[in-house]
Amino acid sequence: MNMQDQPAGTPPEPQGGTRCGYVAIVGRPNVGKSTLLNHLVGEKIAAASRKAQTTRHRIRGLITRGPDQLVLVDTPGMDPDAPKLLGKVLNRTAEAALHDVDAVIFVVEADRWLAADEAMAQLLEDCGRPLVLVVNKVDRLKDKGRLLPFIDRLRRRLEFSEVVPLSALKGMNVEPLVEALMARLPPGPHLFPEDEITDRPQRFRVAEVIREQLLERLGQEVPYATSVDVERWEEKGDVVHIDAVIWVERENQKAIVVGKGGRMIKAVGMGARHELEALLERRVMLRLWTKVRESWQGDLEGIRRMGIDVDP
Ligand SMILES: Nc1nc2c(ncn2[C@@H]2O[C@H](COP(=O)(O)OP(=O)(O)OP(=O)(O)O)[C@@H](O)[C@H]2O)c(=O)[nH]1
Ligand SMILES: [Mg+2]
């Protein structure tokens, strides 16, 4: 939180010596931003998958340790070549997230620098925020000797206040990142209750769990066309009844999501229910439907109706 964001009249030094700051997590699609966020907060709050464009929102994850509160902002992967309007909207969401933060985590994959990384680097060149480089997926690097030259190359490309090689998936070397970020927090009051781990409501997290199941189980084409909406949430005794709609763009995609004899949607439902019961710590009755909303990714109104933020 920048001092100038505080209402007029508040003293510059908050009482109690608390500190609080926003840090955006940015990078091209699929580098592991959401996996990192989930690992940092210790629970799944954002869907993560092998498919690009998994994240469609700015998702805040919170870490509070005593007087320090870190607000992490996960963003959609930036891809300058994203063909559809949805891709462009997601790029804007990511770009807008850079504006109101105290620092930026630039996530890249170890020893893998693509055109989309370079485009991201160009954007970061003049964002005017301290940059922390996270070199993720070091567990996949066969020749560890390649790590240092890779980091050296990036250091010549951009100025970083910190460089942390890690594995978000395995949770390797993640703590030094948290410590480095915590050490740089500006003074300020906490913006969220200390026991919260995200600003997103349970319904959103439920939809993300279902979408992650879809992304993992479906082939290449359909997942991008899907979106999940929780339509009913009813608590009866110790059971939560949840009805959710899986939106697709075409009839033939509906058939794929349902699968032969309903097998696919059943598997998605079972996988999701299993995770949701752990998340909600209650029994879950989950009902899934598929519905068609044509080409919703192609028009702003459709994208908005899917609950995706559209930045001006
Ligand atoms: N081996 C390995 N895989 C990882 C690691 N971190 C993430 N992954 C995998 O990389 C894939 C992409 O992860 P996400 O967290 O969804 O990536 P993202 O950057 O959020 O992607 P978008 O939301 O599409 O921009 C998933 O299959 C993860 O399991 C890691 O440290 N090691
Ligand atoms: Mg993501």
Side-chain angles (χ1 to χ4, degrees):
M1 176 93 176
N2 294 322
M3 297 321 260
Q4 61 263 36
D5 293 337
Q6 296 195 356
T10 32
E13 275 296 327
Q15 289 163 357
T18 57
R19 305 195 299 165
C20 185
Y22 274 90
V23 177
I25 307 175
V26 304
R28 74 163 152 82
N30 218 32
V31 288
K33 299 177 294 299
S34 301
T35 306
L36 178 64
L37 178 79
N38 290 339
H39 190 86
L40 288 170
V41 300
E43 270 188 44
K44 184 177 296 168
I45 56 177
S49 86
R50 286 166 289 139
K51 313 269 163 49
Q53 288 189 359
T54 296
T55 304
R56 291 175 173 169
H57 307 261
R58 260 177 305 216
I59 302 172
R60 292 186 189 89
L62 312 163
I63 305 176
T64 309
R65 292 183 183 171
D68 297 338
Q69 183 166 75
L70 181 60
V71 185
L72 295 151
V73 189
D74 186 18
T75 62
M78 289 270 265
D79 181 0
D81 297 324
K84 292 206 170 150
L85 182 64
L86 175 63
K88 295 185 188 4
V89 166
L90 296 183
N91 284 345
R92 269 213 304 267
T93 302
E95 209 176 325
L98 292 174
H99 298 317
D100 343 294
V101 292
D102 300 291
V104 176
I105 303 175
F106 180 24
V107 185
V108 300
E109 257 179 78
D111 206 25
R112 196 141 185 259
W113 184 258
L114 309 181
D117 293 296
E118 180 51 38
M120 192 70 232
Q122 274 169 25
L123 200 73
L124 292 175
E125 257 171 3
D126 25 52
C127 79
R129 317 271 166 204
L131 293 180
V132 174
L133 177 68
V134 160
V135 183
N136 191 27
K137 308 197 186 183
V138 288
D139 58 295
R140 281 229 302 237
L141 200 61
K142 288 201 182 72
D143 178 2
K144 302 283 185 236
R146 298 176 68 92
L147 188 58
L148 283 183
F150 179 71
I151 290 175
D152 278 345
R153 231 176 70 209
L154 294 192
R155 273 195 190 279
R156 282 197 294 273
R157 177 70 187 76
L158 286 169
E159 203 181 308
F160 299 107
S161 58
E162 208 82 44
V163 176
V164 189
L166 55 80
S167 167
L169 191 66
K170 311 264 182 209
M172 273 160 50
N173 210 37
V174 174
E175 186 53 28
L177 173 67
V178 181
E179 280 166 20
L181 296 170
M182 288 280 187
R184 302 181 147 268
L185 289 176
H190 289 182
L191 298 168
F192 298 91
E194 62 185 43
D195 55 349
E196 269 179 26
I197 56 161
T198 181
D199 66 324
R200 292 276 168 179
Q202 290 284 41
R203 274 173 182 251
F204 175 85
R205 294 182 66 188
V206 167
E208 285 286 274
V209 166
I210 298 166
R211 212 161 57 82
E212 190 178 81
Q213 287 287 328
L214 284 166
L215 290 166
E216 284 302 334
R217 287 168 197 271
L218 293 173
Q220 274 306 318
E221 277 312 307
V222 185
Y224 303 105
T226 60
S227 172
V228 175
D229 221 357
V230 172
E231 291 209 325
R232 170 174 167 249
W233 178 295
E234 206 174 321
E235 303 188 12
K236 287 188 191 162
D238 62 348
V239 183
V240 193
H241 294 255
I242 298 171
D243 294 353
V245 174
I246 300 166
W247 292 101
V248 293
E249 289 194 315
R250 290 195 299 273
E251 280 299 331
N252 68 335
Q253 294 170 338
K254 192 168 159 178
I256 295 170
V257 170
V258 172
K260 270 209 187 83
R263 249 176 273 164
M264 175 59 84
I265 200 163
K266 234 177 248 162
V268 167
M270 269 166 58
R273 184 172 59 86
H274 189 70
E275 261 200 53
L276 292 175
E277 292 193 332
L279 171 73
L280 303 171
E281 294 174 333
R282 261 172 301 173
R283 274 182 56 218
V284 171
M285 292 283 288
L286 177 66
R287 290 195 298 180
L288 297 175
W289 276 271
T290 49
K291 287 188 194 171
V292 179
R293 182 175 278 160
E294 266 172 40
S295 303
W296 64 267
Q297 294 182 71
D299 72 285
L300 273 187
E301 197 38 49
I303 291 171
R304 245 189 229 114
R305 259 189 280 136
M306 287 299 174
I308 296 168
D309 325 313
V310 178
D311 279 280

